[in-house]
Amino acid sequence: MARRRLQRRNSPKQGGALLFAYGTLMRGYPLHRVLARRSTLIARGTVRGALLDLGRYPGLVDGRGCVSGELYRLDDVELLGTLDREEGYHFRRSRGLVTLARGRRVRAWLYRYRGPRARAVAIPQSNDRRVRWR
């Protein structure tokens, strides 16, 4: 019963901007500290695309696969500006479709990589959570 209440309270339908994190913003990674203080983890999900290993961080690009990540509700929409600065010039924030468990879909902000790809290495879909970024 408590679990059901928790899921309902953390439903993506509630107010607040949603953000999909797939790399260093996720739990256990360096930039999560920026997100953790002013957001609530809602669920795990996937987005269409491919993940590139860029050395210190990953980058989401267009592709045929699925990239796993975490969906957050931001307590303050101004956090997006802070995250924009942390992500840097080579990442563009845009809205994307996130697929949750049981096929449910929601729109959320996410960061797509738009920088150079000369040294980028594609991350196989099955290994996206096993790569550790510094």
Side-chain angles (χ1 to χ4, degrees):
M1 181 70 130
R3 182 174 172 85
R4 184 173 288 164
R5 257 186 268 127
L6 177 65
Q7 288 173 337
R8 208 174 296 135
R9 190 176 69 214
N10 289 337
S11 167
K13 289 183 180 179
Q14 290 183 344
L18 297 176
L19 175 82
F20 179 77
Y22 60 84
T24 57
L25 289 173
M26 293 188 344
R27 292 173 295 164
Y29 290 95
L31 287 181
H32 182 69
R33 63 178 163 63
V34 177
L35 187 58
R37 291 186 295 246
R38 296 166 40 195
S39 67
T40 304
L41 175 64
I42 302 299
R44 293 204 37 86
T46 60
V47 295
R48 301 239 349 122
L51 211 52
L52 299 178
D53 184 345
L54 301 166
R56 293 181 30 215
Y57 46 82
L60 175 67
V61 295
D62 289 338
R64 294 183 181 175
C66 288
V67 173
S68 300
E70 300 168 343
L71 183 67
Y72 290 86
R73 182 182 311 102
L74 306 183
D75 298 337
D76 181 356
V77 74
E78 291 182 15
L79 178 57
L80 289 170
T82 302
L83 294 172
D84 289 347
R85 287 186 294 281
E86 289 288 340
E87 289 292 327
Y89 173 78
H90 292 302
F91 288 86
R92 180 179 53 89
R93 178 170 41 96
S94 62
R95 304 278 282 170
L97 200 56
V98 180
T99 303
L100 305 175
R102 299 185 194 137
R104 185 163 168 227
R105 293 181 181 166
V106 296
R107 287 219 171 267
W109 291 109
L110 52 83
Y111 288 92
R112 292 191 180 275
Y113 182 68
R114 64 178 184 181
R117 297 185 188 186
R119 295 185 178 152
V121 177
I123 298 172
Q125 187 174 334
S126 61
N127 289 335
D128 60 358
R129 209 33 199 168
R130 292 187 190 121
V131 176
R132 298 302 293 183
W133 294 280
R134 303 173 270 309

